[in-house]
Amino acid sequence: MCAGGKGEVFCRTKENNFARKNPFEKIGPSEIASTKGTLAEDYAICVGHVMQCVWRAGAVEIFAEGNTIMKAEDTPGEEPVIGAPPAEGAVHALFDCAFAVCQASLMACPER
């Protein structure tokens, strides 16, 4: 899954996407779905901000300093785009913020 700076979310939607033998194999457009979320217009990343990404079935939400800065959800009755995190294995969020991040720290995830 990839979230863009304008609130868009792109996901690879086929189960076999996780089992590619060649990670550099070109991805066809039929394997990528997208949706548009809402984006906080008044947020600017600053040194020391703590960011969090929460991915649950049908929704992804990105927080900065405890405030929602982006949220996208699957549309009921339509083919899911976001879907659910993989049932097994770890999932890690990576933030780039338009090349503004030069150092990141992994923090313990709170119990849900």
Side-chain angles (χ1 to χ4, degrees):
M1 177 192 322
C2 179
K6 295 180 181 175
E8 60 278 88
V9 175
F10 303 94
C11 295
R12 295 184 64 192
T13 58
K14 301 195 185 304
E15 193 60 37
N16 67 353
N17 288 337
F18 302 109
R20 290 191 177 271
K21 293 182 179 168
N22 178 359
F24 300 103
E25 180 180 346
K26 191 170 186 177
I27 301 166
S30 65
E31 295 185 35
I32 300 172
S34 66
T35 190
K36 180 83 168 142
T38 57
L39 189 66
E41 295 181 20
D42 59 347
Y43 174 71
I45 191 169
C46 295
V47 172
H49 274 193
V50 175
M51 299 186 78
Q52 179 184 21
C53 179
V54 177
W55 181 14
R56 62 186 187 283
V60 62
E61 194 165 1
I62 298 175
F63 300 87
E65 294 297 288
N67 298 308
T68 300
I69 61 169
M70 197 280 291
K71 182 176 183 177
E73 297 178 301
D74 282 336
T75 304
E78 293 185 13
E79 188 73 25
V81 172
I82 299 168
E88 296 180 19
V91 176
H92 301 280
L94 177 64
F95 291 100
D96 187 321
C97 301
F99 309 108
V101 176
C102 63
Q103 180 180 0
S105 299
L106 180 62
M107 301 175 73
C109 183
E111 294 297 322
R112 296 196 210 304

